[in-house]
Amino acid sequence: MTATTISHWIGGTRSPGGSDRHGDVFNPATGSVSATVPFATSSEVDAAVAVAAEAFLSWRDVSLSRRTEIMFRFRELLSAHKDDLAAAVTAEHGKVLSDAAGEVQRGIENVEFACGAPHLLKGSMSHQVATRVDVHSLLQPLGVVAGISPFNFPAMVPLWMFPNALVCGNTFVLKPSEKDPSASVLMAELLTEAGLPDGVFNVVHGDKEAVDALLVNPTVQAVSFVGSTPIARYIYETGTSHGKRVQALGGAKNHMVVLPDADLGMAADAAVSAAYGSAGERCMAISVVLAVGDVADPLVAAIAERARAVRIGPGTDADSEMGPLVTREHRDKVASYLPAASEAGARLVLDGREQSFDGDGFFLGVSIIDDVTTDMDCYRDEIFGPVLAVVRVPDFDAAMAVLEDNPYGNGTAIFTRDGGAARRFVDEVPVGMVGVNVPVPVPVAAYSFGGWGDSLFGDSHMYGPEGLAFYTRSKVVTSRWPDPSTSTVDLGFPQSR
Ligand code: NAD
C-alpha cells in the first residue's frame, strides 16, 4: 500500500506545508505505514496563527445566532459522517470500530452543549445599584486559542475544546497528535461545510517544534492541552510564563475500590471493560483494583475468567473487542512491565505476552498482576496499556490511604451496595471524577471534565461550564445616566417621577 500524505488545514483549505520533517502514521493492526504527516516549522505555525488572528477580526462580530446555527449544522454533519470518522480513528489508532464510533458520539455531545451558547453566554445585570446606576456583565472571546491533543482520542478530545471555543467567538489552531492526525482534518472539512468562515478553525500537524511555537507566540491567548503528565506540566509552565491562560490535563492511574459487599459479577464486568477497553489507552481506564478484605480471591478469579475471553483482533473486525496498541514501541514498553512486576514479587495471573497474534500488528494480550504493592513500578507508573494491577487491602481506610498517597487524581470508582460507604468515599477521595458502581465516570457534556493532583495543571477543567469560562473573559460595565428631566433639551419628561 502506498502511503498518503496528510495535510495541514489552514485558512479553510488543505495545505501540504513546506517543512522537510515528517512523521510516519501507522496502521497498528498491520504494523505498516499508512501515511506520512508533515511536521510544521515554527514559522508555519506562526503563519497559521496569523491567519486565525485575521479571521478573529470578523468572527468575533458574527452574531451568536449565526455562530450557533453553524454549530447545529456541524452537529448534523458529524452524525452523518460518524462512520467515516470512526473508520479514520480505527485505521490510525487501532481501537475497535464500535469504540471509535462511541468516541465520536461523546464528542458530538460537546457540540450539542456548545449549541446552547445563546443561553450559556448570557451575562448578568443589576439594576439601580445606586441612584440611576446599573451594572451589567458580558462575556467576550479571548482571540486566537490553541488546542494540543493526545493520540488516544483523536476525535473526541479536540471536540472537548473547539466547539466551545468557537461559539464564544474565538478562532482556533489545533495541533493534534502526530500519531493519528486524520480525524482532525476531516472535522475541519465538516466545519467548512457547515459554513464556518475560512481561518476560524485551523489544524497544524507536528511535534515539539510546533507545540513550542504555539506556546511562545504572543498572539495565542490561551492553550488547552490534554496528554501525559510530564508534557502537561511543561505546557502549563511554558504557556503561563508567556502570559497565556492554560488548562493542561495530564495522565492518570485510576483505582477501582471493590468492597466485600459489592455485586461481584457487576464489579468484574466493569473491571474488564474499564481496564481493557481501547487496549487500556484511556485516561479514564481502570488500571488498579483495590480489593478490600476477603473479596480479593473471588474477584480476581471472576476478572480472570472474563479477561481470558476478551477477543483481540483488528479494530475493523466486528468480532474484536480489543484492538492493537498504538505503536510497536508503546506495545513493547507496556509488555516490559510484566517481567519487571514478576521480578518485584507480584504474581502474573494472566500474562498478555503469552497470547500470539498473526502478522506484524502491535497486539498484546490482556494481563492481570495480583499481589501488587504500591512501591512497584507497575503500580507507580502510568502504563497506558491492557494491564490491570490488583492491590489487596484489609479495609476501607486502607483503600483510602492508598488513594490519598497516589499523585494522580483523574478518575476513581467504588463498587459497593452500602450507601454510607459510597457517600464517604465520594466526600473524602482526592480525585476529580468519581463513580459509584460506574467504572469510567466521564462527566456528560453539561458538566466539566478534569482531574486533581498531577492529572491537571491549571485552574480550569475542560468542556461544559468551565470550558466556556476558560474561553471567555468577563467585562463588567457600570453605567450612570443623568435624570432625563434635567436635560437642557425638552424631551417631554415631567420634572420629577
Ligand atoms: P503526550 O503527552 O505524549 O502527547 C500529547 C500531545 O503533546 C501531542 O500532541 C504531542 O505531539 C505533544 N507532545 C509530545 N511530546 C511533547 C514535547 N516534548 N513537547 C511539546 N509537545 C509534546 O500524550 P499521548 O501519548 O499522545 O497521550 C496519552 C497520554 O495522554 C496519557 O498519559 C493519558 O493519560 C493522557 N490523557 C489524559 C487525558 C485527561 O483528560 N486527563 C485524556 C486523554 C489522554
Side-chain angles (χ1 to χ4, degrees), residues 398-451:
M400 290 301 282
V402 170
L403 276 154
E404 276 156 21
D405 280 350
N406 195 279
Y408 296 105
N410 213 42
T412 189
I414 188 165
F415 279 71
T416 180
R417 288 186 165 95
D418 186 318
R423 189 169 185 278
R424 199 180 135 200
F425 183 76
V426 168
D427 274 355
E428 295 177 14
V429 73
V431 173
M433 293 171 283
V434 184
V436 176
N437 297 314
V438 171
V440 182
V442 175
V444 295
Y447 290 78
S448 298
F449 182 108

Coordinates of all heavy atoms in Angstrom, one line a residue, residues 398-451:
A398 N -7.8 1.5 54.6 CA -6.5 1.2 53.9 C -6.6 1.6 52.4 O -5.7 2.1 51.8 CB -6.1 -0.3 54.1
A399 N -7.8 1.3 51.8 CA -8.0 1.7 50.4 C -7.9 3.2 50.3 O -7.3 3.7 49.3 CB -9.4 1.2 50.0
M400 N -8.5 3.9 51.2 CA -8.5 5.4 51.1 C -7.0 5.9 51.2 O -6.6 6.9 50.6 CB -9.3 6.0 52.2 CG -10.8 5.9 52.0 SD -11.4 6.5 50.4 CE -11.5 8.3 50.8
A401 N -6.3 5.3 52.1 CA -4.9 5.7 52.3 C -4.1 5.5 51.0 O -3.2 6.4 50.7 CB -4.2 4.9 53.5
V402 N -4.3 4.4 50.3 CA -3.6 4.2 49.0 C -4.0 5.3 48.1 O -3.1 5.9 47.4 CB -4.0 2.8 48.4 CG1 -3.5 2.7 47.0 CG2 -3.4 1.7 49.3
L403 N -5.3 5.6 48.0 CA -5.7 6.7 47.0 C -5.1 8.0 47.4 O -4.8 8.8 46.5 CB -7.2 6.7 47.0 CG -7.9 5.7 46.1 CD1 -9.3 5.4 46.6 CD2 -8.0 6.3 44.7
E404 N -5.1 8.3 48.7 CA -4.6 9.6 49.1 C -3.1 9.8 48.8 O -2.6 10.9 48.5 CB -4.8 9.8 50.6 CG -6.2 10.3 50.9 CD -6.7 10.0 52.3 OE1 -5.9 9.7 53.2 OE2 -7.9 10.0 52.5
D405 N -2.3 8.6 48.8 CA -0.9 8.7 48.5 C -0.6 8.8 47.1 O 0.5 9.1 46.7 CB -0.2 7.5 49.1 CG 0.0 7.6 50.6 OD1 -0.2 8.7 51.1 OD2 0.4 6.6 51.2
N406 N -1.6 8.4 46.2 CA -1.2 8.4 44.8 C -1.2 9.8 44.2 O -2.1 10.6 44.5 CB -2.3 7.6 44.0 CG -1.8 7.2 42.6 OD1 -1.9 8.0 41.7 ND2 -1.2 6.1 42.5
P407 N -0.2 10.2 43.5 CA -0.1 11.6 43.0 C -1.2 12.0 42.0 O -1.5 13.1 41.8 CB 1.3 11.7 42.4 CG 1.7 10.3 42.1 CD 1.0 9.4 43.1
Y408 N -1.7 11.0 41.2 CA -2.7 11.3 40.2 C -4.1 11.4 40.9 O -4.3 10.9 42.0 CB -2.8 10.2 39.2 CG -1.6 10.0 38.4 CD1 -0.7 8.9 38.6 CD2 -1.2 10.9 37.4 CE1 0.5 8.8 37.8 CE2 -0.1 10.8 36.6 CZ 0.8 9.7 36.8 OH 1.9 9.5 36.1
G409 N -5.0 12.1 40.2 CA -6.3 12.2 40.8 C -7.4 12.4 39.7 O -8.2 13.3 39.8
N410 N -7.3 11.6 38.6 CA -8.2 11.8 37.5 C -9.5 11.2 37.8 O -10.5 11.9 38.0 CB -7.5 11.2 36.2 CG -7.9 12.0 35.0 OD1 -7.9 13.2 35.0 ND2 -8.2 11.3 33.9
G411 N -9.6 9.9 37.7 CA -10.9 9.2 38.0 C -10.8 8.1 39.0 O -9.6 7.6 39.2
T412 N -11.9 7.7 39.6 CA -11.9 6.6 40.5 C -13.3 6.1 40.6 O -14.2 6.8 40.2 CB -11.3 6.9 41.9 OG1 -11.1 5.7 42.7 CG2 -12.2 7.9 42.7
A413 N -13.4 4.8 41.2 CA -14.8 4.3 41.3 C -14.8 3.4 42.6 O -13.8 2.8 42.9 CB -15.2 3.5 40.1
I414 N -16.0 3.3 43.2 CA -16.2 2.4 44.3 C -17.3 1.5 43.9 O -18.3 1.9 43.3 CB -16.5 3.1 45.6 CG1 -16.5 2.1 46.7 CG2 -17.8 3.9 45.6 CD1 -16.4 2.7 48.1
F415 N -17.1 0.2 44.2 CA -18.2 -0.8 44.0 C -18.7 -1.3 45.3 O -17.9 -1.9 46.1 CB -17.7 -1.9 43.0 CG -17.8 -1.5 41.6 CD1 -16.9 -0.5 41.1 CD2 -18.8 -2.0 40.8 CE1 -17.0 -0.1 39.8 CE2 -18.9 -1.5 39.4 CZ -18.0 -0.6 39.0
T416 N -19.9 -1.0 45.6 CA -20.5 -1.4 46.9 C -22.0 -1.3 46.9 O -22.5 -0.7 46.0 CB -20.0 -0.5 48.1 OG1 -20.5 -0.9 49.3 CG2 -20.3 1.0 47.8
R417 N -22.6 -2.0 47.8 CA -24.1 -1.8 47.9 C -24.4 -0.8 49.1 O -25.6 -0.5 49.4 CB -24.8 -3.1 48.2 CG -24.8 -4.1 47.0 CD -25.7 -5.3 47.4 NE -26.1 -6.1 46.3 CZ -25.4 -7.2 45.8 NH1 -24.3 -7.6 46.4 NH2 -25.8 -7.8 44.8
D418 N -23.4 -0.4 49.8 CA -23.5 0.4 51.0 C -23.5 1.9 50.7 O -22.5 2.4 50.3 CB -22.4 0.0 52.0 CG -22.5 0.6 53.3 OD1 -22.9 1.8 53.4 OD2 -22.3 0.0 54.3
G419 N -24.7 2.5 50.8 CA -24.8 3.9 50.5 C -23.9 4.8 51.4 O -23.3 5.8 50.9
G420 N -23.8 4.4 52.7 CA -23.0 5.2 53.6 C -21.5 5.2 53.2 O -20.8 6.2 53.2
A421 N -21.0 4.0 52.8 CA -19.6 3.8 52.4 C -19.4 4.6 51.1 O -18.4 5.3 51.0 CB -19.3 2.4 52.2
A422 N -20.3 4.5 50.2 CA -20.2 5.2 48.9 C -20.1 6.7 49.1 O -19.3 7.4 48.6 CB -21.3 4.9 48.0
R423 N -21.0 7.2 50.0 CA -21.1 8.6 50.3 C -19.8 9.1 50.9 O -19.3 10.2 50.6 CB -22.3 8.9 51.2 CG -22.6 10.4 51.3 CD -23.9 10.6 52.0 NE -24.2 12.1 52.0 CZ -23.7 12.9 52.9 NH1 -22.9 12.5 53.9 NH2 -24.0 14.2 52.8
R424 N -19.2 8.3 51.9 CA -18.0 8.7 52.5 C -16.8 8.8 51.5 O -16.0 9.7 51.5 CB -17.6 7.8 53.6 CG -16.7 8.4 54.6 CD -16.3 7.5 55.7 NE -14.9 7.5 55.9 CZ -14.1 6.6 56.5 NH1 -14.7 5.6 57.0 NH2 -12.8 6.8 56.6
F425 N -16.9 7.8 50.6 CA -15.8 7.7 49.5 C -15.9 9.0 48.7 O -14.9 9.6 48.4 CB -16.1 6.5 48.7 CG -15.1 6.2 47.6 CD1 -13.8 5.7 47.9 CD2 -15.4 6.5 46.3 CE1 -12.9 5.5 46.9 CE2 -14.5 6.3 45.3 CZ -13.2 5.8 45.6
V426 N -17.1 9.3 48.2 CA -17.3 10.5 47.4 C -16.8 11.8 48.1 O -16.2 12.6 47.5 CB -18.8 10.6 47.0 CG1 -19.1 12.0 46.4 CG2 -19.2 9.5 46.0
D427 N -17.1 11.8 49.4 CA -16.7 13.0 50.1 C -15.2 13.2 50.3 O -14.7 14.2 50.2 CB -17.3 13.0 51.6 CG -18.7 13.5 51.6 OD1 -19.2 14.0 50.6 OD2 -19.3 13.4 52.7
E428 N -14.6 12.0 50.5 CA -13.2 12.1 51.0 C -12.1 11.9 49.9 O -11.0 12.2 50.1 CB -13.0 11.1 52.2 CG -13.8 11.5 53.4 CD -13.7 10.5 54.5 OE1 -12.8 9.7 54.5 OE2 -14.5 10.6 55.5
V429 N -12.5 11.2 48.8 CA -11.4 10.8 47.9 C -10.9 12.0 47.1 O -11.6 12.9 46.7 CB -12.0 9.7 46.9 CG1 -13.0 10.3 45.9 CG2 -10.9 8.9 46.3
P430 N -9.5 12.1 47.1 CA -9.0 13.3 46.4 C -8.8 13.2 44.9 O -7.7 13.2 44.4 CB -7.6 13.4 47.1 CG -7.2 12.0 47.4 CD -8.5 11.3 47.7
V431 N -9.9 13.0 44.3 CA -9.9 12.7 42.8 C -11.0 13.6 42.2 O -12.1 13.8 42.8 CB -10.2 11.2 42.6 CG1 -10.4 10.9 41.2 CG2 -9.1 10.3 43.2
G432 N -10.8 14.0 40.9 CA -11.8 14.9 40.3 C -13.0 14.3 39.8 O -14.1 15.0 39.6
M433 N -13.0 13.0 39.4 CA -14.2 12.4 38.8 C -14.4 11.0 39.4 O -13.5 10.2 39.4 CB -14.0 12.2 37.3 CG -14.0 13.6 36.6 SD -13.5 13.6 34.8 CE -11.7 13.4 35.0
V434 N -15.6 10.9 40.0 CA -15.8 9.7 40.9 C -17.0 8.9 40.4 O -18.1 9.5 40.1 CB -16.0 10.2 42.4 CG1 -16.2 9.0 43.3 CG2 -14.9 11.1 42.8
G435 N -16.9 7.6 40.4 CA -18.0 6.7 40.0 C -18.5 5.9 41.2 O -17.6 5.4 42.0
V436 N -19.8 5.8 41.3 CA -20.3 4.8 42.3 C -21.0 3.7 41.5 O -22.0 3.9 40.8 CB -21.3 5.5 43.2 CG1 -22.0 4.5 44.2 CG2 -20.7 6.7 44.0
N437 N -20.3 2.5 41.5 CA -20.7 1.4 40.7 C -20.7 1.8 39.2 O -21.4 1.2 38.4 CB -22.1 0.9 41.1 CG -22.1 0.3 42.5 OD1 -21.2 -0.4 42.9 ND2 -23.1 0.7 43.3
V438 N -19.9 2.8 38.9 CA -19.7 3.2 37.5 C -18.2 3.3 37.3 O -17.5 4.1 37.9 CB -20.3 4.6 37.2 CG1 -19.9 5.1 35.8 CG2 -21.9 4.5 37.3
P439 N -17.6 2.4 36.5 CA -16.1 2.3 36.5 C -15.4 3.5 35.7 O -14.3 3.8 36.1 CB -15.9 1.0 35.7 CG -17.0 0.8 34.9 CD -18.2 1.4 35.6
V440 N -16.1 4.1 34.7 CA -15.5 5.1 33.9 C -16.4 6.4 34.0 O -17.2 6.6 33.1 CB -15.2 4.7 32.5 CG1 -14.5 5.8 31.7 CG2 -14.4 3.4 32.4
P441 N -16.3 7.1 35.1 CA -17.2 8.2 35.3 C -16.9 9.5 34.5 O -16.6 10.6 35.1 CB -17.2 8.4 36.8 CG -15.8 8.1 37.2 CD -15.3 7.0 36.2
V442 N -16.9 9.4 33.2 CA -16.6 10.6 32.4 C -17.8 11.5 32.4 O -18.9 11.0 32.1 CB -16.3 10.2 30.9 CG1 -16.2 11.4 30.0 CG2 -15.1 9.3 30.8
P443 N -17.7 12.7 32.9 CA -18.9 13.6 33.0 C -19.6 13.8 31.7 O -18.9 14.0 30.6 CB -18.3 14.9 33.6 CG -17.0 14.5 34.1 CD -16.5 13.4 33.3
V444 N -20.9 13.9 31.7 CA -21.6 14.3 30.5 C -21.3 15.7 30.1 O -20.7 16.5 31.0 CB -23.1 14.1 30.6 CG1 -23.5 12.7 30.8 CG2 -23.7 15.0 31.8
A445 N -21.6 16.1 28.9 CA -21.1 17.4 28.4 C -21.6 18.7 29.2 O -21.0 19.7 29.1 CB -21.5 17.6 26.9
A446 N -22.6 18.5 30.0 CA -23.2 19.7 30.7 C -22.4 19.9 32.0 O -22.6 20.9 32.7 CB -24.6 19.4 31.1
Y447 N -21.5 18.9 32.3 CA -20.5 19.1 33.4 C -19.1 19.3 32.8 O -19.0 19.2 31.6 CB -20.6 17.9 34.4 CG -21.9 17.9 35.2 CD1 -23.0 17.4 34.6 CD2 -22.0 18.4 36.5 CE1 -24.2 17.4 35.3 CE2 -23.2 18.4 37.2 CZ -24.3 17.9 36.6 OH -25.5 17.9 37.2
S448 N -18.1 19.5 33.7 CA -16.8 19.7 33.1 C -15.9 18.5 33.5 O -16.1 17.8 34.5 CB -16.2 21.0 33.6 OG -17.0 22.1 33.2
F449 N -14.9 18.2 32.7 CA -14.0 17.1 32.8 C -12.7 17.5 33.3 O -12.0 18.4 32.8 CB -13.8 16.4 31.4 CG -13.0 15.2 31.4 CD1 -13.6 13.9 31.2 CD2 -11.6 15.3 31.6 CE1 -12.8 12.8 31.2 CE2 -10.8 14.1 31.6 CZ -11.4 12.9 31.4
G450 N -12.2 16.9 34.4 CA -10.9 17.2 34.9 C -10.5 16.5 36.1 O -11.4 16.2 37.0
G451 N -9.3 16.2 36.3 CA -8.8 15.5 37.5 C -8.2 16.5 38.5 O -8.3 17.7 38.3

